mmCIF file with all atom_site columns, all heavy atoms in Angstrom:
data_model
loop_
_atom_site.group_PDB
_atom_site.id
_atom_site.type_symbol
_atom_site.label_atom_id
_atom_site.label_alt_id
_atom_site.label_comp_id
_atom_site.label_asym_id
_atom_site.label_entity_id
_atom_site.label_seq_id
_atom_site.pdbx_PDB_ins_code
_atom_site.Cartn_x
_atom_site.Cartn_y
_atom_site.Cartn_z
_atom_site.occupancy
_atom_site.B_iso_or_equiv
_atom_site.pdbx_formal_charge
_atom_site.auth_seq_id
_atom_site.auth_comp_id
_atom_site.auth_asym_id
_atom_site.auth_atom_id
_atom_site.pdbx_PDB_model_num
ATOM 1   N N   . MET A 1 1   ? 0.843   -1.175  0.007  1.00 45.00 ? 728 MET A N   1
ATOM 2   C CA  . MET A 1 1   ? 0.016   0.015   -0.003 1.00 45.00 ? 728 MET A CA  1
ATOM 3   C C   . MET A 1 1   ? 0.852   1.204   0.037  1.00 45.00 ? 728 MET A C   1
ATOM 4   O O   . MET A 1 1   ? 1.847   1.286   0.731  1.00 45.00 ? 728 MET A O   1
ATOM 5   C CB  . MET A 1 1   ? -0.866  -0.034  1.262  1.00 45.00 ? 728 MET A CB  1
ATOM 6   C CG  . MET A 1 1   ? -1.770  1.187   1.302  1.00 45.00 ? 728 MET A CG  1
ATOM 7   S SD  . MET A 1 1   ? -2.765  1.099   2.837  1.00 45.00 ? 728 MET A SD  1
ATOM 8   C CE  . MET A 1 1   ? -4.366  0.889   2.081  1.00 45.00 ? 728 MET A CE  1
ATOM 9   N N   . GLU A 1 17  ? -12.526 17.812  12.773 1.00 87.00 ? 744 GLU A N   1
ATOM 10  C CA  . GLU A 1 17  ? -13.702 17.076  12.463 1.00 87.00 ? 744 GLU A CA  1
ATOM 11  C C   . GLU A 1 17  ? -14.011 16.004  13.553 1.00 87.00 ? 744 GLU A C   1
ATOM 12  O O   . GLU A 1 17  ? -15.137 15.815  13.956 1.00 87.00 ? 744 GLU A O   1
ATOM 13  C CB  . GLU A 1 17  ? -13.617 16.372  11.086 1.00 87.00 ? 744 GLU A CB  1
ATOM 14  C CG  . GLU A 1 17  ? -13.715 17.351  9.924  1.00 87.00 ? 744 GLU A CG  1
ATOM 15  C CD  . GLU A 1 17  ? -13.557 16.629  8.598  1.00 87.00 ? 744 GLU A CD  1
ATOM 16  O OE1 . GLU A 1 17  ? -13.833 15.384  8.582  1.00 87.00 ? 744 GLU A OE1 1
ATOM 17  O OE2 . GLU A 1 17  ? -13.162 17.222  7.615  1.00 87.00 ? 744 GLU A OE2 1
ATOM 18  N N   . GLU A 1 19  ? -13.055 16.205  16.658 1.00 86.00 ? 746 GLU A N   1
ATOM 19  C CA  . GLU A 1 19  ? -13.508 16.910  17.894 1.00 86.00 ? 746 GLU A CA  1
ATOM 20  C C   . GLU A 1 19  ? -14.982 17.324  17.738 1.00 86.00 ? 746 GLU A C   1
ATOM 21  O O   . GLU A 1 19  ? -15.701 17.437  18.721 1.00 86.00 ? 746 GLU A O   1
ATOM 22  C CB  . GLU A 1 19  ? -12.632 18.166  18.111 1.00 86.00 ? 746 GLU A CB  1
ATOM 23  C CG  . GLU A 1 19  ? -11.270 17.888  18.643 1.00 86.00 ? 746 GLU A CG  1
ATOM 24  C CD  . GLU A 1 19  ? -10.405 19.112  18.752 1.00 86.00 ? 746 GLU A CD  1
ATOM 25  O OE1 . GLU A 1 19  ? -10.932 20.240  18.479 1.00 86.00 ? 746 GLU A OE1 1
ATOM 26  O OE2 . GLU A 1 19  ? -9.253  18.962  19.018 1.00 86.00 ? 746 GLU A OE2 1
ATOM 27  N N   . LEU A 1 27  ? -14.113 9.136   9.252  1.00 87.00 ? 754 LEU A N   1
ATOM 28  C CA  . LEU A 1 27  ? -12.930 9.925   8.779  1.00 87.00 ? 754 LEU A CA  1
ATOM 29  C C   . LEU A 1 27  ? -11.929 9.078   8.043  1.00 87.00 ? 754 LEU A C   1
ATOM 30  O O   . LEU A 1 27  ? -11.365 9.507   7.045  1.00 87.00 ? 754 LEU A O   1
ATOM 31  C CB  . LEU A 1 27  ? -12.275 10.592  9.981  1.00 87.00 ? 754 LEU A CB  1
ATOM 32  C CG  . LEU A 1 27  ? -13.119 11.657  10.726 1.00 87.00 ? 754 LEU A CG  1
ATOM 33  C CD1 . LEU A 1 27  ? -12.380 12.099  12.014 1.00 87.00 ? 754 LEU A CD1 1
ATOM 34  C CD2 . LEU A 1 27  ? -13.284 12.862  9.830  1.00 87.00 ? 754 LEU A CD2 1
ATOM 35  N N   . TRP A 1 41  ? -1.714  11.053  15.465 1.00 85.00 ? 768 TRP A N   1
ATOM 36  C CA  . TRP A 1 41  ? -1.860  12.546  15.245 1.00 85.00 ? 768 TRP A CA  1
ATOM 37  C C   . TRP A 1 41  ? -2.535  13.178  16.435 1.00 85.00 ? 768 TRP A C   1
ATOM 38  O O   . TRP A 1 41  ? -2.158  14.244  16.873 1.00 85.00 ? 768 TRP A O   1
ATOM 39  C CB  . TRP A 1 41  ? -2.724  12.804  14.004 1.00 85.00 ? 768 TRP A CB  1
ATOM 40  C CG  . TRP A 1 41  ? -2.115  12.412  12.674 1.00 85.00 ? 768 TRP A CG  1
ATOM 41  C CD1 . TRP A 1 41  ? -0.800  12.228  12.455 1.00 85.00 ? 768 TRP A CD1 1
ATOM 42  C CD2 . TRP A 1 41  ? -2.793  12.257  11.434 1.00 85.00 ? 768 TRP A CD2 1
ATOM 43  N NE1 . TRP A 1 41  ? -0.593  11.891  11.149 1.00 85.00 ? 768 TRP A NE1 1
ATOM 44  C CE2 . TRP A 1 41  ? -1.813  11.909  10.527 1.00 85.00 ? 768 TRP A CE2 1
ATOM 45  C CE3 . TRP A 1 41  ? -4.149  12.355  11.122 1.00 85.00 ? 768 TRP A CE3 1
ATOM 46  C CZ2 . TRP A 1 41  ? -2.125  11.695  9.162  1.00 85.00 ? 768 TRP A CZ2 1
ATOM 47  C CZ3 . TRP A 1 41  ? -4.412  12.114  9.756  1.00 85.00 ? 768 TRP A CZ3 1
ATOM 48  C CH2 . TRP A 1 41  ? -3.450  11.742  8.816  1.00 85.00 ? 768 TRP A CH2 1
ATOM 49  N N   . ALA A 1 43  ? -2.522  12.185  19.539 1.00 85.00 ? 770 ALA A N   1
ATOM 50  C CA  . ALA A 1 43  ? -1.620  12.245  20.704 1.00 85.00 ? 770 ALA A CA  1
ATOM 51  C C   . ALA A 1 43  ? -0.548  13.316  20.500 1.00 85.00 ? 770 ALA A C   1
ATOM 52  O O   . ALA A 1 43  ? -0.163  14.012  21.448 1.00 85.00 ? 770 ALA A O   1
ATOM 53  C CB  . ALA A 1 43  ? -0.920  10.889  20.920 1.00 85.00 ? 770 ALA A CB  1
ATOM 54  N N   . MET A 1 48  ? -3.738  21.836  18.399 1.00 79.00 ? 775 MET A N   1
ATOM 55  C CA  . MET A 1 48  ? -2.896  22.763  17.656 1.00 79.00 ? 775 MET A CA  1
ATOM 56  C C   . MET A 1 48  ? -3.620  23.338  16.456 1.00 79.00 ? 775 MET A C   1
ATOM 57  O O   . MET A 1 48  ? -4.494  22.711  15.955 1.00 79.00 ? 775 MET A O   1
ATOM 58  C CB  . MET A 1 48  ? -1.598  22.041  17.228 1.00 79.00 ? 775 MET A CB  1
ATOM 59  C CG  . MET A 1 48  ? -0.632  21.676  18.292 1.00 79.00 ? 775 MET A CG  1
ATOM 60  S SD  . MET A 1 48  ? 0.829   21.068  17.556 1.00 79.00 ? 775 MET A SD  1
ATOM 61  C CE  . MET A 1 48  ? 1.882   20.887  18.963 1.00 79.00 ? 775 MET A CE  1
ATOM 62  N N   . ASP A 1 49  ? -3.161  24.498  16.042 1.00 81.00 ? 776 ASP A N   1
ATOM 63  C CA  . ASP A 1 49  ? -3.627  25.085  14.816 1.00 81.00 ? 776 ASP A CA  1
ATOM 64  C C   . ASP A 1 49  ? -2.521  24.921  13.811 1.00 81.00 ? 776 ASP A C   1
ATOM 65  O O   . ASP A 1 49  ? -1.437  24.398  14.087 1.00 81.00 ? 776 ASP A O   1
ATOM 66  C CB  . ASP A 1 49  ? -4.062  26.534  14.975 1.00 81.00 ? 776 ASP A CB  1
ATOM 67  C CG  . ASP A 1 49  ? -2.925  27.370  15.611 1.00 81.00 ? 776 ASP A CG  1
ATOM 68  O OD1 . ASP A 1 49  ? -1.942  26.779  16.040 1.00 81.00 ? 776 ASP A OD1 1
ATOM 69  O OD2 . ASP A 1 49  ? -3.057  28.580  15.565 1.00 81.00 ? 776 ASP A OD2 1
ATOM 70  N N   . ILE A 1 79  ? 36.610  10.434  17.632 1.00 69.00 ? 806 ILE A N   1
ATOM 71  C CA  . ILE A 1 79  ? 36.262  10.085  19.027 1.00 69.00 ? 806 ILE A CA  1
ATOM 72  C C   . ILE A 1 79  ? 35.246  8.907   18.885 1.00 69.00 ? 806 ILE A C   1
ATOM 73  O O   . ILE A 1 79  ? 34.219  9.059   18.225 1.00 69.00 ? 806 ILE A O   1
ATOM 74  C CB  . ILE A 1 79  ? 35.574  11.260  19.754 1.00 69.00 ? 806 ILE A CB  1
ATOM 75  C CG1 . ILE A 1 79  ? 36.558  12.439  19.774 1.00 69.00 ? 806 ILE A CG1 1
ATOM 76  C CG2 . ILE A 1 79  ? 35.163  10.852  21.127 1.00 69.00 ? 806 ILE A CG2 1
ATOM 77  C CD1 . ILE A 1 79  ? 35.850  13.734  20.289 1.00 69.00 ? 806 ILE A CD1 1
ATOM 78  N N   . ASN A 1 82  ? 30.713  5.080   23.157 1.00 74.00 ? 809 ASN A N   1
ATOM 79  C CA  . ASN A 1 82  ? 29.686  4.079   23.116 1.00 74.00 ? 809 ASN A CA  1
ATOM 80  C C   . ASN A 1 82  ? 28.264  4.732   23.092 1.00 74.00 ? 809 ASN A C   1
ATOM 81  O O   . ASN A 1 82  ? 28.207  5.933   23.320 1.00 74.00 ? 809 ASN A O   1
ATOM 82  C CB  . ASN A 1 82  ? 29.837  3.026   24.235 1.00 74.00 ? 809 ASN A CB  1
ATOM 83  C CG  . ASN A 1 82  ? 29.579  3.699   25.660 1.00 74.00 ? 809 ASN A CG  1
ATOM 84  O OD1 . ASN A 1 82  ? 29.077  4.810   25.720 1.00 74.00 ? 809 ASN A OD1 1
ATOM 85  N ND2 . ASN A 1 82  ? 29.968  2.975   26.669 1.00 74.00 ? 809 ASN A ND2 1
ATOM 86  N N   . ARG A 1 108 ? 2.084   -16.523 29.203 1.00 85.00 ? 835 ARG A N   1
ATOM 87  C CA  . ARG A 1 108 ? 0.860   -17.335 29.018 1.00 85.00 ? 835 ARG A CA  1
ATOM 88  C C   . ARG A 1 108 ? 0.878   -18.418 30.077 1.00 85.00 ? 835 ARG A C   1
ATOM 89  O O   . ARG A 1 108 ? 1.844   -19.044 30.378 1.00 85.00 ? 835 ARG A O   1
ATOM 90  C CB  . ARG A 1 108 ? 0.957   -18.033 27.622 1.00 85.00 ? 835 ARG A CB  1
ATOM 91  C CG  . ARG A 1 108 ? -0.306  -18.715 27.165 1.00 85.00 ? 835 ARG A CG  1
ATOM 92  C CD  . ARG A 1 108 ? -0.077  -19.325 25.802 1.00 85.00 ? 835 ARG A CD  1
ATOM 93  N NE  . ARG A 1 108 ? 0.687   -20.539 25.935 1.00 85.00 ? 835 ARG A NE  1
ATOM 94  C CZ  . ARG A 1 108 ? 0.182   -21.785 25.897 1.00 85.00 ? 835 ARG A CZ  1
ATOM 95  N NH1 . ARG A 1 108 ? -1.121  -21.906 25.678 1.00 85.00 ? 835 ARG A NH1 1
ATOM 96  N NH2 . ARG A 1 108 ? 0.922   -22.832 25.981 1.00 85.00 ? 835 ARG A NH2 1
ATOM 97  N N   . ALA A 1 118 ? -15.313 -40.246 28.667 1.00 92.00 ? 845 ALA A N   1
ATOM 98  C CA  . ALA A 1 118 ? -15.774 -41.335 27.829 1.00 92.00 ? 845 ALA A CA  1
ATOM 99  C C   . ALA A 1 118 ? -15.405 -41.133 26.368 1.00 92.00 ? 845 ALA A C   1
ATOM 100 O O   . ALA A 1 118 ? -15.025 -40.003 25.960 1.00 92.00 ? 845 ALA A O   1
ATOM 101 C CB  . ALA A 1 118 ? -17.314 -41.485 27.967 1.00 92.00 ? 845 ALA A CB  1
ATOM 102 N N   . LEU A 1 132 ? 6.686   -38.541 -1.113 1.00 89.00 ? 859 LEU A N   1
ATOM 103 C CA  . LEU A 1 132 ? 6.947   -39.949 -1.664 1.00 89.00 ? 859 LEU A CA  1
ATOM 104 C C   . LEU A 1 132 ? 8.410   -40.009 -2.106 1.00 89.00 ? 859 LEU A C   1
ATOM 105 O O   . LEU A 1 132 ? 9.151   -39.003 -2.139 1.00 89.00 ? 859 LEU A O   1
ATOM 106 C CB  . LEU A 1 132 ? 5.953   -40.194 -2.743 1.00 89.00 ? 859 LEU A CB  1
ATOM 107 C CG  . LEU A 1 132 ? 4.474   -40.150 -2.473 1.00 89.00 ? 859 LEU A CG  1
ATOM 108 C CD1 . LEU A 1 132 ? 3.614   -40.241 -3.751 1.00 89.00 ? 859 LEU A CD1 1
ATOM 109 C CD2 . LEU A 1 132 ? 4.125   -41.268 -1.509 1.00 89.00 ? 859 LEU A CD2 1
ATOM 110 N N   . PHE A 1 138 ? 2.386   -35.184 -0.178 1.00 92.00 ? 865 PHE A N   1
ATOM 111 C CA  . PHE A 1 138 ? 1.013   -35.501 0.163  1.00 92.00 ? 865 PHE A CA  1
ATOM 112 C C   . PHE A 1 138 ? 0.734   -35.132 1.576  1.00 92.00 ? 865 PHE A C   1
ATOM 113 O O   . PHE A 1 138 ? 1.669   -34.932 2.389  1.00 92.00 ? 865 PHE A O   1
ATOM 114 C CB  . PHE A 1 138 ? 0.704   -36.979 -0.079 1.00 92.00 ? 865 PHE A CB  1
ATOM 115 C CG  . PHE A 1 138 ? 1.416   -37.926 0.856  1.00 92.00 ? 865 PHE A CG  1
ATOM 116 C CD1 . PHE A 1 138 ? 0.848   -38.297 2.055  1.00 92.00 ? 865 PHE A CD1 1
ATOM 117 C CD2 . PHE A 1 138 ? 2.685   -38.357 0.646  1.00 92.00 ? 865 PHE A CD2 1
ATOM 118 C CE1 . PHE A 1 138 ? 1.517   -39.139 2.946  1.00 92.00 ? 865 PHE A CE1 1
ATOM 119 C CE2 . PHE A 1 138 ? 3.412   -39.209 1.463  1.00 92.00 ? 865 PHE A CE2 1
ATOM 120 C CZ  . PHE A 1 138 ? 2.799   -39.615 2.621  1.00 92.00 ? 865 PHE A CZ  1
#
Side-chain angles (χ1 to χ4, degrees):
M728 179 181 248
E744 287 180 24
E746 287 174 5
L754 292 171
W768 292 342
M775 290 188 173
D776 54 349
I806 302 169
N809 65 14
R835 192 179 76 102
L859 299 172
F865 68 93

